[in-house]
Amino acid sequence: MRVFLALILGLVTGVGGVFLALVILAPQPAGERLRSPDGLGSLFSSPVSEALGSSQDSNPNAPSAGLKPADAKGSPTATIDAASALREYMLALINQDRSDNNLRPVALGTNSAAQIHADSMLRNGFLSHWGLDGLKPYMRFTASGGVNYASENASGLPYSLKDGRRYQEVAAFQIVSNAQLGLMQSPGHRKNILDEWHRSVSLGIACSSHTCSISQLFQGAYVQFEQEPRLDEGWLTMSGNLSDGFNPQGVQVWYDEPPHPLTLGQLGATFAYGIGQQPAAFVRAPLPPQMEHTGSTSKYSYEAGADPYKVDPSSPPPAPICDGQTCKAPQRRQDTTIVTMAVTWVTAARWEIEDGFFNVAADLTEHVERLGPGIYTVVLWAEKNGDPVDMTNYSVEVGR
C-alpha cells in the first residue's frame, strides 16, 4: 500500500485581502518500502508525501548533473537558530513516535544531503525524491559523505504557489507537527520512521513564512570501512567491519544511468524511488574446493516506480486544481510495475568474512562494459536474528 496526504487550499478572509490557508485532509493509500521477495535486503524506499510545504517561486533551470550535490543557494526565511530548533523539534516528534512503539530513539544526523534537498524543493516549488540535478537520495547521501544506508521520507507541496495572491502565514512548528502526523498516518512513511534498525536521521527543513519542505533521511550506523567500495577498471573491492553482531551475507550492485538535469514536469511525475534502475550483478561467496555453484543467473523480481527520465521534459509541472473558493493538489499516478529479469551471479574472487569483518573483491568488468557509464550503487546486506538488513547503499560514479 502507498500513501499520499491530500491538501486543500481554502479561501480565508483576512485583513487587507483574501488569504489562502493550507488545510490537511485524511491520507489516502499510496506506497511503502518494499523488500525483495527472496530476502536480499530492502529495495524500495518510501514514497513522497504531500504534506504541508511549498515555494513561492519556480526556477526550472537545473544545476549541473553528476554525483555531486547541488549547492543550496538562496535562503529560507528561518534563521540558523530557528532551523536548528525546528530540527530538534521534529527529532523529538520522531523519537516520541518510536518510543510509543517500544523502539530506541534515533540521534540527529549530520549528513547535509537532507537540507540541500529541502532547500531545493522549497526554492523551486517541487516535491520529489529526485533533485533537479537528477540525483536520488542515496546518491546525495554518498556525495555528502554518507557510508551507511539511507532511506528518505519527503514532505512538501508538489508545485509553486501562484504569484499575486496573499497566503496565510503559518507557524513553522505547526507545519512540522502536522507533517510528522501525516507521515505517521501513511503506512510506507510510518514503516520507515519505525524501522528498528535506524540509528540516526538527518533532517532537512526549509520554510517560508507560510510553508515548509522537509526531508527525513534515516540512516544506519553499522559499517566502518577500511576501504570504501570502489569500481576500478571493472573490479569491485571493499573492506571493513560490521558492528552489533551483523554478519555479511551478500552484495548487490545496482545501476542508474548518468544523472542529468530534470525539469519540474519530470519531477512532478515521480512517486517513489528504488535503489537503481536495474540490477547490474549480484556477488556471491565462492564455495569450498570440490564444490561449485549451480547456475550463473537467477530470475529476480523488483518493484519499479515512475522513471522521470522516461517522461517528456516539456511536460508541464503540477499545478493546483482550483474550483470556486478552494484549490487542491493534483493526484499523481501512484502505480508501480513488477519487473522480472535474469540477474547474473558473480562469484567473488576474494570473500573474507569473519566476526563482522569483510574483505570482498569481484570482477564486474563484463557488466560495467555492458551497462556503460553511470552510477553503480553497492548494497552490502547482512543478517541478524533472521532479519536481512541493508548495511550500505554506497554510490560509485563510473565513466564521467
Side-chain angles (χ1 to χ4, degrees):
M1 293 184 296
R2 300 181 300 280
V3 190
F4 273 1
L5 286 180
L7 288 180
I8 279 190
L9 303 182
L11 286 173
V12 178
T13 302
V15 176
V18 175
F19 296 80
L20 288 178
L22 302 178
V23 182
I24 287 190
L25 298 181
Q28 306 172 14
E32 63 182 11
R33 184 179 182 184
L34 304 176
R35 292 189 179 274
S36 58
D38 54 359
L40 291 181
S42 60
L43 297 180
F44 217 66
S45 294
S46 303
V48 294
S49 172
E50 292 179 0
L52 287 173
S54 171
S55 172
Q56 297 183 34
D57 64 314
S58 174
N59 178 10
N61 298 319
S64 59
L67 192 57
K68 177 181 178 182
D71 292 333
K73 297 179 180 179
S75 58
T77 58
T79 65
I80 293 177
D81 288 343
S84 178
L86 285 172
R87 283 192 289 270
E88 292 290 348
Y89 179 58
M90 173 156 269
L91 178 67
L93 295 175
I94 289 170
N95 281 330
Q96 182 61 59
D97 288 329
R98 290 178 64 87
S99 176
D100 291 345
N101 288 272
N102 300 313
L103 296 170
R104 65 168 127 176
V106 291
L108 184 61
T110 59
N111 191 281
S112 61
Q115 190 60 53
I116 289 172
H117 192 52
D119 287 340
S120 181
M121 289 194 295
L122 177 69
R123 184 175 63 253
N124 297 294
F126 72 93
L127 173 63
S128 177
H129 289 299
W130 280 259
L132 283 166
D133 53 7
L135 298 186
K136 294 158 80 172
Y138 51 92
M139 300 177 191
R140 291 190 294 270
F141 181 67
T142 300
S144 298
V147 298
N148 282 265
Y149 73 79
S151 182
E152 181 181 75
N153 286 344
S155 174
L157 280 184
Y159 51 79
S160 293
L161 298 179
K162 293 181 178 180
D163 293 333
R165 292 180 177 176
R166 299 181 64 190
Y167 298 94
Q168 183 183 46
E169 292 190 7
V170 184
F173 285 92
Q174 184 61 52
I175 297 174
V176 167
S177 177
N178 289 342
Q180 179 64 16
L181 176 63
L183 292 167
M184 282 296 292
Q185 291 175 340
S186 157
H189 299 97
R190 177 186 178 93
K191 186 175 182 179
N192 195 17
I193 293 168
L194 300 182
D195 189 315
E196 66 174 304
W197 303 115
H198 292 336
R199 291 298 172 262
S200 64
V201 57
S202 294
L203 295 173
I205 305 176
C207 298
S208 67
S209 60
H210 55 270
T211 189
C212 296
S213 292
I214 297 169
S215 169
Q216 298 177 337
L217 198 58
F218 290 94
Q219 302 152 214
Y222 306 106
V223 178
Q224 288 188 331
F225 282 112
E226 292 183 359
Q227 181 203 301
E228 295 173 0
R230 297 177 185 168
L231 266 175
D232 293 328
E233 298 183 351
W235 274 84
L236 169 67
T237 57
M238 63 178 174
S239 63
N241 291 276
L242 300 183
S243 61
D244 282 32
F246 278 104
N247 294 307
Q249 298 293 315
V251 176
Q252 301 177 351
V253 181
W254 288 78
Y255 172 77
D256 284 284
E257 65 184 88
H260 53 269
L262 295 168
T263 66
L264 294 177
Q266 289 174 308
L267 292 175
T270 62
F271 168 62
Y273 75 98
I275 301 295
Q277 293 170 310
Q278 62 174 291
F282 293 165
V283 179
R284 63 188 176 188
L287 294 175
Q290 313 304 321
M291 299 182 67
E292 61 181 24
H293 290 287
T294 58
S296 59
T297 63
S298 296
K299 283 190 175 180
Y300 190 80
S301 296
Y302 59 97
E303 190 168 10
D307 186 341
Y309 292 126
K310 296 179 180 178
V311 177
D312 185 349
S314 64
S315 298
I321 301 172
C322 300
D323 180 15
Q325 292 187 327
T326 63
C327 295
K328 62 181 180 180
Q331 289 290 328
R332 300 187 190 206
R333 293 194 60 166
Q334 303 174 19
D335 52 320
T336 58
T337 302
I338 301 297
V339 179
T340 300
M341 64 181 296
V343 180
T344 301
W345 285 101
V346 174
T347 301
R350 181 174 66 243
W351 186 273
E352 301 172 3
I353 305 291
E354 184 178 359
D355 296 330
F357 172 78
F358 61 91
N359 186 2
V360 175
D363 185 1
L364 304 184
T365 304
E366 174 187 345
H367 307 286
V368 173
E369 290 179 349
R370 171 174 56 88
L371 293 169
I375 305 298
Y376 291 79
T377 299
V378 179
V379 180
L380 170 67
W381 67 277
E383 193 172 77
K384 184 176 180 182
N385 302 326
D387 193 1
V389 182
D390 292 351
M391 297 286 96
T392 185
N393 39 38
Y394 190 96
S395 295
V396 179
E397 189 170 23
V398 173
R400 289 189 65 90

